[in-house]
Amino acid sequence: MHRSLFNILSGRNTRQGLWGLPLLVALLISLWLTVETTQFATAENLFNLVAQAMPLIIAAIGQLVVVLIGGLDLSVGSVISFTTAVLALDQPAIVLIPAVFLLAALIGLINGLAITRFNVHPIIATLSTQYIVLGITRILRPVSGGTVPEIVIAAVSGNFLGIPYPVFWGIVVILAAWKLLYGSRYGLHLFAIGGGIASGAESAARNFGVSDRRNIILAYMVCSCFAAVSGVFLAGRIVSGDPNVGLLFELDTVTAVALGGTQLSGGIGSLHGTVIGALVMALLANGMNLANVSPFVQTAIKGGILLAVVGLQSRKKMGL
């Protein structure tokens, strides 16, 4: 039993990554905040914590799909902002909601094609689309404003049997992601492609009949669609379009994924680890807000966490 616990905490003998340690950190932070602040353990604050964490959890799951194949998507923040801007256009919900997912899938398709067909590095490809999408977003909505459809607001702000809707958002998204990663052939292909890339044998999965190009393109499309879901959720919370609401989400999602034990080189990681990593980020933000820590200091701390967790990951050469 002691050996099994050590393996979970150390991430040894598993393709799930080092997720036990972040879970322990989350529990310790929760315990510390409960002791130090009277507001933390209240039902209102815990439900508020879930609502605050949900956009990051959703977007980080999408980022996980890309990281598992050894990629990275820096356009998620701009896709989130773009989604809120589109939803704030004066059009019926039946038009806007399908449109944001079609456009998000198109952005992911562009990312995937740039990487697989034109051999552009994932960081450069997704950074380019980040700027393109951000520019379009600012054309649509230069400043925060407009009103999103009532159905979006109601889907986020309501509750059922006293349980806020964000909790149900989390359950549905996590179950869907679990089915995608662990209950489908596609999920197995992602781990196979990423494992081959991480070991230096990029053609390993292809040798077993797995189409790496098609699966990589789909991974970026899935990532963008998860970012769109996160954008819909945020639009419902802020009830308007905001070109800046997705700012730094690319940093937060990568940090959450890495903090959850996923190797950025690909092939090793887990859904539960990513959710735990996002919750740790939300707990830290919640605690720092309760302690009145400056937002600028919080951003610096997030950058330090990302540098630390990536620096501690084992790698054979310089890079992700």
Side-chain angles (χ1 to χ4, degrees):
M1 178 178 178
H2 294 295
R3 184 177 294 275
S4 298
L5 179 61
F6 174 76
N7 287 338
I8 291 175
L9 292 175
S10 64
R12 292 185 177 183
N13 305 322
T14 176
R15 301 294 291 180
Q16 300 296 305
L18 195 159
W19 60 269
L21 189 57
L23 177 60
L24 180 61
V25 170
L27 294 174
L28 291 174
I29 294 174
S30 299
L31 179 61
W32 177 73
L33 290 173
T34 301
V35 173
E36 290 294 321
T37 61
T38 57
Q39 310 101 306
F40 178 77
T42 63
E44 181 182 359
N45 184 64
L46 291 178
F47 282 138
N48 185 51
L49 176 64
V50 171
Q52 289 177 348
M54 197 51 56
L56 177 57
I57 290 174
I58 297 170
I61 290 173
Q63 188 74 260
L64 168 68
V65 174
V66 168
V67 171
L68 284 176
I69 56 166
L72 206 64
D73 192 344
L74 299 182
S75 67
V76 291
S78 59
V79 172
I80 290 172
S81 297
F82 177 69
T83 298
T84 68
V86 172
L87 287 175
L89 297 175
D90 188 18
Q91 296 295 327
I94 195 172
V95 174
L96 294 177
I97 295 176
V100 296
F101 289 104
L102 287 173
L103 291 170
L106 177 61
I107 294 168
L109 176 63
I110 293 171
N111 284 333
L113 288 174
I115 293 163
T116 59
R117 298 294 179 180
F118 299 98
N119 294 321
V120 180
H121 192 280
I123 291 178
I124 302 301
T126 58
L127 185 62
S128 300
T129 53
Q130 178 195 64
Y131 280 111
I132 294 170
V133 175
L134 186 58
I136 296 172
T137 301
R138 294 191 184 278
I139 293 172
L140 293 176
R141 182 64 56 186
V143 295
S144 178
T147 303
V148 302
E150 286 295 329
I151 189 173
V152 175
I153 300 172
V156 174
S157 59
N159 67 82
F160 179 71
L161 299 177
I163 303 175
Y165 284 161
V167 175
F168 297 105
W169 277 71
I171 293 172
V172 171
V173 168
I174 290 172
L175 287 177
W178 192 276
K179 174 65 176 177
L180 176 71
L181 293 175
Y182 305 114
S184 70
R185 184 174 296 179
Y186 177 68
L188 294 175
H189 290 173
L190 291 178
F191 282 96
I193 293 170
I197 292 175
S199 63
E202 297 187 10
S203 62
R206 196 183 315 127
N207 293 337
F208 287 94
V210 177
S211 175
D212 51 352
R213 283 187 174 183
R214 183 179 66 215
N215 285 297
I216 289 172
I217 291 172
L218 281 175
Y220 281 93
M221 294 176 69
V222 168
C223 181
S224 290
C225 286
F226 270 96
V229 175
S230 180
V232 172
F233 183 91
L234 274 171
R237 290 204 74 198
I238 64 178
V239 301
S240 64
D242 189 341
N244 299 314
V245 73
L247 187 66
L248 294 182
F249 255 82
E250 53 279 348
L251 168 66
D252 291 347
T253 54
V254 174
T255 304
V257 169
L259 192 58
T262 298
Q263 289 279 336
L264 297 187
S265 55
I268 297 177
S270 68
L271 173 62
H272 47 280
T274 297
V275 174
I276 291 169
L279 287 174
V280 170
M281 296 287 290
L283 283 168
L284 285 172
N286 189 260
M288 288 187 288
N289 287 335
L290 291 175
N292 295 318
V293 177
S294 166
F296 306 112
V297 175
Q298 292 187 35
T299 301
I301 291 173
K302 289 177 184 178
I305 293 172
L306 177 59
L307 180 61
V309 294
V310 175
L312 291 173
Q313 291 186 358
S314 59
R315 56 176 57 77
K316 295 180 180 179
K317 60 182 181 179
M318 182 177 65
L320 295 176

